[in-house]
Amino acid sequence: MKFFDAIKEKIAKIPLFSTSSSRYRSFFRSSSRSNNNYYNGWVYTAVSKIAEEVGGIQLKLFKTDSKGNVEQVFTHPALELLAKANDYMTQYDIFERCQANQELHGNEYWYIQYAGKLPVAIYPLNPNSVSPVPGKFEYVDHYKYRVEGSDTAIPKENILQFKPFNPYSDIVGISTLSAARLAADTDIFARQYNKKYFENDARPDVILKTEDTMTPENERKLLAAWHQKHGGPSRQFRTAVASGGLEIEAFQQSQRDMEFLEGRKFNRDEIMAIFGVPLAIVGFTGNETYASAKAATYSFGTRTITPKMNRIVNTLNAHYLKLFPNT
């Protein structure tokens, strides 16, 4: 863009950067993976659907003259900077990331780089590494950013923070994941159990029985022969022949197994409900009609996505636009 071409040679290095490539990467990478470990399964499905929708936000800029007339502005440094936040991120990238981090971590922090008094680049920081430092007479005095064990103080003028409501704090947000963590933990444990089940580790599918006393060596040979013929997905459902007094006893699905499956559905429904994502959005239509699926899509847009977009727009109006002179 012309705006960036004109000032490119004036951009100074961000003071948090180092000539070390590993330190450069640490500016963006996560130093704590506690919440990132949940970014899989149904949590991933819910967060990604929300973040992808918010990433496509269409922003419009307006100005009001002294007579109160409102006019849309199509060209402005504030719009151009959002369109290309930095050399690696577009507007979609920064807003998708912004919303995903709010869902997972409760906060998103943009480092604003200036050329003189004009903002020229936006670098989203790892929210796990940023800590607002309260002031004596104001909410935030500055921000502390930890990079590879060392702390850097960042003036509050260089940070734009996005955060949802937190009943426990006015300076940091609380994540949606915090409300869904118990259901997410249960679902993770269930998936781990399920994986072990299909690896024939949770319990055997069959028991081979014989009245003869077998030596450990004969047991190993029998099991090896059985697994060679019937083990693995490609050998499922082969007909087995028992001889020499050998009996084959198969396990049937128990009531506990059926309750386990219902429990997984309950975890799924609870996680998706907490994040505000109808099942129809992720392809689970069940017995729903087209009309009900359409209603779910409308509900997702108006009750989940729109409030999150409004929060972002309010932050941009209150704290981002004022960074540009005479705006």
mmCIF file of all heavy atoms in Angstrom, residues 16 48 79 94 124 141 222 260 266-267 283 322:
data_model
loop_
_atom_site.group_PDB
_atom_site.id
_atom_site.type_symbol
_atom_site.label_atom_id
_atom_site.label_comp_id
_atom_site.label_asym_id
_atom_site.label_seq_id
_atom_site.Cartn_x
_atom_site.Cartn_y
_atom_site.Cartn_z
ATOM 1 N N LEU A 16 11.881 -4.890 21.379
ATOM 2 C CA LEU A 16 11.863 -6.241 21.945
ATOM 3 C C LEU A 16 12.565 -7.243 21.049
ATOM 4 O O LEU A 16 12.839 -8.359 21.467
ATOM 5 C CB LEU A 16 10.407 -6.697 22.170
ATOM 6 C CG LEU A 16 9.617 -5.910 23.210
ATOM 7 C CD1 LEU A 16 8.230 -6.515 23.357
ATOM 8 C CD2 LEU A 16 10.320 -5.902 24.544
ATOM 9 N N SER A 48 -12.307 -22.203 16.556
ATOM 10 C CA SER A 48 -11.963 -21.920 15.159
ATOM 11 C C SER A 48 -13.157 -21.367 14.395
ATOM 12 O O SER A 48 -13.010 -20.450 13.562
ATOM 13 C CB SER A 48 -11.425 -23.182 14.474
ATOM 14 O OG SER A 48 -12.403 -24.204 14.431
ATOM 15 N N LEU A 79 -7.280 2.621 8.484
ATOM 16 C CA LEU A 79 -7.781 1.495 7.696
ATOM 17 C C LEU A 79 -6.637 0.751 7.012
ATOM 18 O O LEU A 79 -6.632 -0.485 6.946
ATOM 19 C CB LEU A 79 -8.784 1.985 6.653
ATOM 20 C CG LEU A 79 -10.116 2.540 7.164
ATOM 21 C CD1 LEU A 79 -10.934 3.107 6.003
ATOM 22 C CD2 LEU A 79 -10.903 1.456 7.901
ATOM 23 N N ILE A 94 -5.007 -10.845 11.924
ATOM 24 C CA ILE A 94 -4.951 -10.261 13.263
ATOM 25 C C ILE A 94 -6.293 -10.349 13.977
ATOM 26 O O ILE A 94 -6.329 -10.511 15.203
ATOM 27 C CB ILE A 94 -4.450 -8.799 13.233
ATOM 28 C CG1 ILE A 94 -5.364 -7.909 12.404
ATOM 29 C CG2 ILE A 94 -3.017 -8.729 12.724
ATOM 30 C CD1 ILE A 94 -5.003 -6.420 12.496
ATOM 31 N N PRO A 124 0.841 -8.527 17.127
ATOM 32 C CA PRO A 124 0.167 -9.194 18.242
ATOM 33 C C PRO A 124 1.179 -9.936 19.119
ATOM 34 O O PRO A 124 2.066 -10.634 18.610
ATOM 35 C CB PRO A 124 -0.781 -10.177 17.547
ATOM 36 C CG PRO A 124 -0.944 -9.652 16.160
ATOM 37 C CD PRO A 124 0.374 -9.025 15.821
ATOM 38 N N ASP A 141 -0.496 1.217 34.481
ATOM 39 C CA ASP A 141 0.624 2.144 34.361
ATOM 40 C C ASP A 141 1.491 1.793 33.156
ATOM 41 O O ASP A 141 1.892 2.659 32.389
ATOM 42 C CB ASP A 141 1.470 2.119 35.637
ATOM 43 C CG ASP A 141 2.658 3.055 35.557
ATOM 44 O OD1 ASP A 141 2.442 4.281 35.663
ATOM 45 O OD2 ASP A 141 3.802 2.572 35.375
ATOM 46 N N LEU A 222 0.547 -68.791 21.256
ATOM 47 C CA LEU A 222 -0.860 -68.734 20.908
ATOM 48 C C LEU A 222 -1.295 -67.293 20.622
ATOM 49 O O LEU A 222 -1.967 -67.018 19.625
ATOM 50 C CB LEU A 222 -1.704 -69.326 22.030
ATOM 51 C CG LEU A 222 -3.235 -69.275 21.834
ATOM 52 C CD1 LEU A 222 -3.651 -70.039 20.583
ATOM 53 C CD2 LEU A 222 -3.951 -69.818 23.069
ATOM 54 N N PHE A 260 -20.800 -44.349 28.324
ATOM 55 C CA PHE A 260 -19.589 -43.621 27.950
ATOM 56 C C PHE A 260 -19.832 -42.812 26.680
ATOM 57 O O PHE A 260 -19.457 -41.642 26.584
ATOM 58 C CB PHE A 260 -18.452 -44.621 27.747
ATOM 59 C CG PHE A 260 -17.231 -44.046 27.072
ATOM 60 C CD1 PHE A 260 -16.310 -43.311 27.788
ATOM 61 C CD2 PHE A 260 -17.016 -44.243 25.715
ATOM 62 C CE1 PHE A 260 -15.189 -42.783 27.166
ATOM 63 C CE2 PHE A 260 -15.894 -43.720 25.090
ATOM 64 C CZ PHE A 260 -14.979 -42.986 25.828
ATOM 65 N N PHE A 266 -22.649 -35.570 25.728
ATOM 66 C CA PHE A 266 -22.973 -34.535 26.711
ATOM 67 C C PHE A 266 -21.827 -33.526 26.807
ATOM 68 O O PHE A 266 -22.055 -32.316 26.861
ATOM 69 C CB PHE A 266 -23.238 -35.166 28.075
ATOM 70 C CG PHE A 266 -23.568 -34.170 29.146
ATOM 71 C CD1 PHE A 266 -24.864 -33.682 29.290
ATOM 72 C CD2 PHE A 266 -22.585 -33.708 30.010
ATOM 73 C CE1 PHE A 266 -25.162 -32.751 30.264
ATOM 74 C CE2 PHE A 266 -22.870 -32.773 30.992
ATOM 75 C CZ PHE A 266 -24.177 -32.297 31.122
ATOM 76 N N ASN A 267 -20.581 -34.009 26.839
ATOM 77 C CA ASN A 267 -19.424 -33.109 26.874
ATOM 78 C C ASN A 267 -19.400 -32.204 25.650
ATOM 79 O O ASN A 267 -19.138 -31.004 25.741
ATOM 80 C CB ASN A 267 -18.120 -33.917 26.942
ATOM 81 C CG ASN A 267 -17.932 -34.609 28.260
ATOM 82 O OD1 ASN A 267 -18.451 -34.166 29.289
ATOM 83 N ND2 ASN A 267 -17.196 -35.705 28.254
ATOM 84 N N GLY A 283 -21.857 -28.946 11.328
ATOM 85 C CA GLY A 283 -22.276 -30.057 10.488
ATOM 86 C C GLY A 283 -23.093 -31.130 11.159
ATOM 87 O O GLY A 283 -23.455 -32.118 10.517
ATOM 88 N N LYS A 322 -7.719 7.037 18.235
ATOM 89 C CA LYS A 322 -7.093 8.210 18.859
ATOM 90 C C LYS A 322 -5.565 8.194 18.723
ATOM 91 O O LYS A 322 -4.900 9.198 19.000
ATOM 92 C CB LYS A 322 -7.481 8.305 20.327
ATOM 93 C CG LYS A 322 -6.846 7.249 21.221
ATOM 94 C CD LYS A 322 -7.267 7.458 22.660
ATOM 95 C CE LYS A 322 -6.567 6.474 23.587
ATOM 96 N NZ LYS A 322 -6.963 6.677 25.013
#
